[in-house]
Structure formats: C-alpha cells, structure tokens
Amino acid sequence: MRHPAVITSVALAMVGGLSGCEAAPTPPARFAPNYEGVQTTLLDGDLVKFDVAMRGARGPSDVEDYAECAAAQYALIRGYGFARHLRTNVYEEAGLWRGDAVYTISPALPRGVRTIDAEVVTASCVENGIPMV
C-alpha cells in the first residue's frame, strides 16, 4: 500500500518541474525623462536655490540628480569649482516631478559631507544626458 504523503510529494515534484515554462519577465521600460527646466535664484552671496521640473522620473533621486547638475554648472558659470548641498525637497503631482534644492557655491572645497566638485559632476551630467543651467 502506498502512503498518501509519498504520492503527494511525487505529484508536487512533477508540477514544480513545469515551472520552467513560465514566460520570461518583461524588461523594464527604457528611461526617457523629459527635463522641463531649471529656475535659479540667488538667495544671498553664495547661497543659491534651484527649482527643477521633469516628467518621467523613476523617483526622487532622478530629480535630485537634475538639481545637482544645475548646481554644478551654475558654480562653474560663476567661476567657482565647488558646491555644498544643503537640502532638496522633491514632490510629484500628476506625473510632474518638482525639486527645490539649495546649495552653497565656493571657490575652495567647502566643509561638510555633501560637497561636489563642479567639474566632475558636470562631466557626469553630460555623460548621462542630464541638462544643466
């Protein structure tokens, strides 16, 4: 006499062997953002605010990258080589992502942990197709 647990185990093993016939997962959609512009506001001396807008962002980090590219280019335009990130607020409404970022710009590497080398960042932005100021 066969034991029911053995029959069930054999049947499950046979069904599990068919799992290789599942359809392959669909590849993720190609990232194709629409950068809708940067508005720059000089707040005080070396303190600058960047308002950015874009569609097609994968999340807040894409908006933050866009603002960082704007800050790096702005620093170079003003004759500075560095910037320090102070804050970025990101929100999305009806598919439009907006970022409000504040940076300080400086000729020498500023103190702090969120500093950027403007030349390095702008080169990365060009490489990744992110527009700047």
Side-chain angles (χ1 to χ4, degrees), residues 27-47:
R30 188 172 80 67
F31 179 52
N34 183 16
Y35 298 99
E36 298 199 358
V38 177
Q39 188 172 31
T40 305
T41 306
L42 182 60
L43 299 175
D44 182 41
D46 64 350
L47 191 63

Side-chain angles (χ1 to χ4, degrees), residues 44-115:
D44 182 41
D46 64 350
L47 191 63
V48 187
K49 178 180 170 205
F50 301 91
D51 291 302
V52 298
M54 68 183 291
R55 292 188 183 279
R58 295 170 290 198
S61 64
D62 289 334
V63 181
E64 292 165 357
D65 290 346
Y66 186 23
E68 183 176 80
C69 289
Q73 181 67 36
Y74 183 84
L76 292 176
I77 289 169
R78 301 282 297 199
Y80 296 107
F82 300 93
R84 181 168 57 106
H85 177 258
L86 299 177
R87 69 148 174 84
T88 301
N89 297 314
V90 176
Y91 59 95
E92 182 266 337
E93 186 175 321
L96 180 64
W97 289 82
R98 293 186 182 275
D100 161 14
V102 177
Y103 285 82
T104 59
I105 56 173
S106 63
L109 183 63
R111 297 176 72 189
V113 294
R114 305 251 349 238
T115 59

Side-chain angles (χ1 to χ4, degrees), residues 12-35:
L12 287 174
M14 291 175 66
V15 171
L18 296 176
S19 65
C21 296
E22 294 177 18
T26 56
R30 188 172 80 67
F31 179 52
N34 183 16
Y35 298 99

